Amino acid sequence: MKRYAKFLMIFVFSVVTLTACSGDSESSGKVLKVAKDVELASMDQHIATDGLSFEVIAATIEGLYTLDADGNAIPAIAKSYDVSEDGLVYTFHLREDAKWSNGEPVTANDFVYAWRRLVDPNTASEYAFIMDVAGVVNAASVNAGEASLEELGVNAVDDYTLEVTLALPVPFFLQLMTFPSFFPMNEAFVTEKGADYAQTPEGLLANGPFKMTEWTQGHSFKVEKNDSYYDKDNVNIDGIEYKIMKDAQTAALEFESGNLDVVRLTGEIVDLYKENEAFTLIHEGYLWYIAPNEEVEELQNVNLRQALGRAVNKEQLTETVLNDGSTVANFIVPVTLATGPDGKDFRETSANDYMTYDVEVAQEYWEKAKAELGIETLTLELLFEDTDSMKKCAEFIQSELQTNLPGLTIELKSQPKKNRLELMRAGDYQLGITRWGPDYADPTTYLDMFITGSSNNYPNYSNEEYDALMNRIGKGDLVYDIEARWEAMKEAEELLIARDAAALPMYQQGNTYLIDQQVKGIETHSVGVPFIYKNVTIEE
């Protein structure tokens, strides 16, 4: 590998030298070069559902609030806010120097339009639910088509005063305002672009630190410093170049050659770089699980789902196959997500063995399932995205299931992430490896996914008892009893995973990266936007 890397460095140096001699200045200035192993799915904040999309949207658009390095919500477009004594009416005072990249001011009307668009049934946003999570008056009714857009609890008092009315107090409301779904939109621009909005750099506006200038779908994209940004003097790099590289080894070699500044490592190559000064471990909030599609007749059998969830050696998966700092998950609410009224992490006082690896138990469930289904053999298809790490993960899961559950055949189906998500949303799959990253620091960001009819309920799980419990937690009597609410969320997780095996948790993601030592100030977050680049510096 080292000999190859040295040859690659010589080759790249020659190419760069020739490029410079030809007068190409594209690489001039301080540009952060980042490798990603998945494609950019969408730049429309109401259509996007994945971490990378939210990351890039947040680099180009700011909302009322943003996150600081410690994950606290701090003012962005909002200078300040007032809240009524009952916690139901927020009045945000907007800064008057914020502008879009076309020179137009960012106003309260931009938030009103964007929030209405999010819950508009015609938008069909999978994140429309988050407006209801935020407690905004009539959010669910508007999204269901039962109330008009104008009845949503958001109002522009004047150009720089935004009033939001909630149906009930929401303790994490301000943190939700840092999430891209709540960011503003310029109505005139979005209307003018129509179906072309957010499809190309020309179809986008920015009011944040950067603006998109290039986008070759499936290959690369680029953002440059936004000269219209109100805080541009504190943005210290000229832009960010993203390259889509699904093979981790190739990306690592490009890092060694000086062509990349940030690269994610996976699998066996992690060990090659553990002593490298650029080696960085980042704990992330993503939790990966297998979604068994209950629209498939066989997967309606709870014993089959229990067998599948317990037949994979998750310790070997995380330590040998992934080898990237990921940890075993036998639960759906991840570690270090949220702290309860007792001051302890949710996982610290909850069971951690809802779905442990146990071949003997898995086979007992398998025998019950076969008897109930009247079968001796079964073939299921496992859908996964086409990254290098996920291919290895899927192959390992296939081997474990086929070895530990005799008579079961697992066929693999690899798809680009965007296609994988589309198939799962449509219910056109059997088993699917997927993940969820927390949008806010409360267990409901995971538990709400599995309510009947939720747009993120990939398993198509439906349980009246679970729905009723989640309704009490989110909107009912438990909202005002913090301790009882916390205990009820533990009950909900146990029902979801231990009893119904509606989702089959695999691991909580931890990522190992190579980050150039000259790069400082990349902010990572386990909740909400995963990476923020506004405060990055590149030393000489």
Side-chain angles (χ1 to χ4, degrees):
M1 176 182 280
K2 290 181 179 178
R3 288 199 300 271
Y4 176 62
K6 187 177 291 184
F7 168 78
L8 184 59
M9 287 180 70
I10 294 171
F11 173 74
V12 171
F13 177 78
S14 301
V15 172
V16 170
T17 303
L18 288 171
T19 302
C21 291
S22 69
D24 186 349
S25 60
E26 182 182 2
S27 297
S28 64
K30 293 184 177 181
V31 177
L32 183 69
K33 294 166 287 186
V34 179
K36 293 291 182 179
D37 61 1
V38 293
E39 299 171 16
L40 178 60
S42 177
M43 284 296 290
D44 185 330
Q45 65 226 49
H46 296 158
I47 302 303
T49 60
D50 65 294
L52 177 57
S53 295
F54 291 140
E55 172 187 324
V56 184
I57 291 167
T60 62
I61 305 179
E62 276 192 348
L64 295 169
Y65 275 66
T66 187
L67 296 173
D68 67 10
D70 296 321
N72 302 306
I74 57 174
I77 302 300
K79 293 185 299 183
S80 62
Y81 75 95
D82 305 310
V83 61
S84 60
E85 287 187 13
D86 60 7
L88 297 181
V89 180
Y90 283 77
T91 303
F92 293 97
H93 307 285
L94 310 188
R95 58 188 315 126
E96 298 180 15
D97 56 348
K99 296 185 182 299
W100 292 104
S101 48
N102 64 356
E104 295 184 8
V106 179
T107 70
N109 289 300
D110 294 333
F111 286 93
V112 173
Y113 168 70
W115 288 25
R116 288 175 176 174
R117 181 180 184 266
L118 174 62
V119 295
D120 187 339
N122 294 319
T123 304
S125 171
E126 290 194 37
Y127 262 84
F129 73 89
I130 205 166
M131 191 68 71
D132 192 43
V133 169
V136 178
V137 162
N138 290 327
S141 298
V142 173
N143 187 237
E146 298 167 358
S148 68
L149 295 176
E150 292 72 23
E151 292 178 84
L152 184 68
V154 59
N155 175 51
V157 177
D158 56 43
D159 281 351
Y160 299 103
T161 308
L162 181 72
E163 183 180 84
V164 181
T165 304
L166 308 185
L168 70 170
V170 176
F172 46 85
F173 178 76
L174 279 184
Q175 191 189 52
L176 276 172
M177 296 303 98
T178 71
F179 195 71
S181 296
F182 294 96
F183 288 0
M185 283 178 156
N186 183 293
E187 181 176 4
F189 182 84
V190 175
T191 303
E192 175 194 345
K193 293 299 178 181
D196 294 328
Y197 174 71
Q199 299 301 308
T200 64
E202 294 74 28
L204 289 164
L205 279 186
N207 74 345
F210 305 96
K211 61 180 180 181
M212 178 172 276
T213 55
E214 297 177 16
W215 187 5
T216 304
Q217 297 205 16
H219 180 263
S220 62
F221 52 97
K222 182 177 180 179
V223 297
E224 293 181 355
K225 183 175 178 178
N226 179 14
D227 288 333
S228 300
Y229 181 49
Y230 67 86
D231 199 25
K232 66 180 180 180
D233 292 343
N234 288 314
V235 179
N236 296 301
I237 60 174
D238 297 308
I240 309 169
E241 292 180 357
Y242 295 83
K243 294 183 179 178
I244 310 303
M245 304 189 74
K246 297 180 180 180
D247 182 77
Q249 182 169 315
T250 302
L253 291 174
E254 287 285 282
F255 179 89
E256 288 189 26
S257 303
N259 294 331
L260 291 170
D261 299 314
V262 182
V263 167
R264 180 179 171 231
L265 302 174
T266 60
E268 64 272 11
I269 68 169
V270 172
D271 292 330
L272 297 177
Y273 291 95
K274 280 187 174 177
E275 303 305 317
N276 192 304
E277 62 181 6
F279 186 86
T280 306
L281 175 62
I282 296 175
H283 295 285
E284 299 186 3
Y286 291 110
L287 194 138
W288 286 86
Y289 64 97
I290 296 174
N293 183 3
E294 293 189 33
E295 289 185 351
V296 176
E297 183 178 354
E298 292 85 353
L299 290 171
Q300 293 171 6
N301 185 283
V302 66
N303 286 317
L304 174 58
R305 300 197 302 270
Q306 291 279 12
L308 295 169
R310 298 170 187 275
V312 177
N313 187 333
K314 290 179 264 192
E315 185 173 344
Q316 189 175 347
L317 173 63
T318 55
E319 294 183 3
T320 304
V321 180
L322 293 168
N323 190 28
D324 60 0
S326 295
T327 54
V328 170
N330 295 312
F331 39 77
I332 201 66
V333 178
V335 180
T336 67
L337 169 70
T339 301
D342 56 1
K344 296 180 180 180
D345 183 78
F346 184 82
R347 287 264 62 87
E348 191 176 345
T349 57
S350 303
N352 294 305
D353 58 354
Y354 289 136
M355 190 161 284
T356 56
Y357 167 64
D358 189 318
V359 175
E360 184 175 340
V361 171
Q363 290 178 347
E364 290 175 1
Y365 278 120
W366 175 229
E367 291 304 318
K368 290 179 183 177
K370 288 193 295 182
E372 290 169 353
L373 294 170
I375 59 172
E376 283 300 320
T377 62
L378 178 64
T379 298
L380 293 171
E381 185 178 78
L382 179 63
L383 175 67
F384 63 98
E385 57 198 48
D386 62 350
T387 63
D388 180 51
S389 59
M390 198 45 55
K391 180 175 184 294
K392 294 173 182 175
C393 183
E395 289 173 346
F396 177 79
I397 291 173
Q398 176 192 44
S399 175
E400 287 287 284
L401 293 177
Q402 292 184 158
T403 300
N404 295 329
L405 304 177
L408 178 64
T409 299
I410 299 294
E411 297 178 346
L412 300 182
K413 182 174 182 177
S414 170
Q415 291 285 300
K417 181 175 182 176
K418 184 175 182 179
N419 293 8
R420 191 265 295 172
L421 288 170
E422 288 174 351
L423 289 170
M424 294 188 75
R425 288 175 195 139
D428 188 14
Y429 79 101
Q430 296 181 333
L431 299 171
I433 307 177
T434 189
R435 71 176 187 179
W436 187 254
D439 302 327
Y440 51 93
D442 189 80
T444 55
T445 190
Y446 282 87
L447 299 174
D448 278 351
M449 286 194 296
F450 303 98
I451 294 172
T452 300
S454 166
S455 58
N456 295 296
N457 187 349
Y458 294 144
N460 293 296
Y461 171 69
S462 182
N463 181 308
E464 290 182 1
E465 181 183 351
Y466 184 83
D467 292 348
L469 185 56
M470 291 308 301
N471 186 65
R472 293 181 64 203
I473 290 167
K475 299 177 182 178
D477 60 301
L478 296 175
V479 169
Y480 300 96
D481 189 336
I482 297 174
E483 292 183 358
R485 178 179 182 272
W486 202 251
E487 292 304 313
M489 288 190 287
K490 296 176 186 178
E491 294 176 26
E493 184 184 40
E494 182 176 10
L495 171 58
L496 181 76
I497 306 300
R499 199 180 87 181
D500 285 355
L504 316 179
M506 290 288 117
Y507 62 93
Q508 184 170 343
Q509 186 169 317
N511 276 330
T512 49
Y513 286 83
L514 292 175
I515 300 179
D516 191 290
Q517 292 293 284
Q518 292 179 306
V519 175
K520 309 294 182 184
I522 296 177
E523 297 175 7
T524 63
H525 302 284
S526 60
V527 176
V529 178
F531 291 89
I532 293 179
Y533 299 102
K534 175 186 173 179
N535 298 313
V536 168
T537 59
I538 301 177
E539 298 174 352
E540 297 290 348

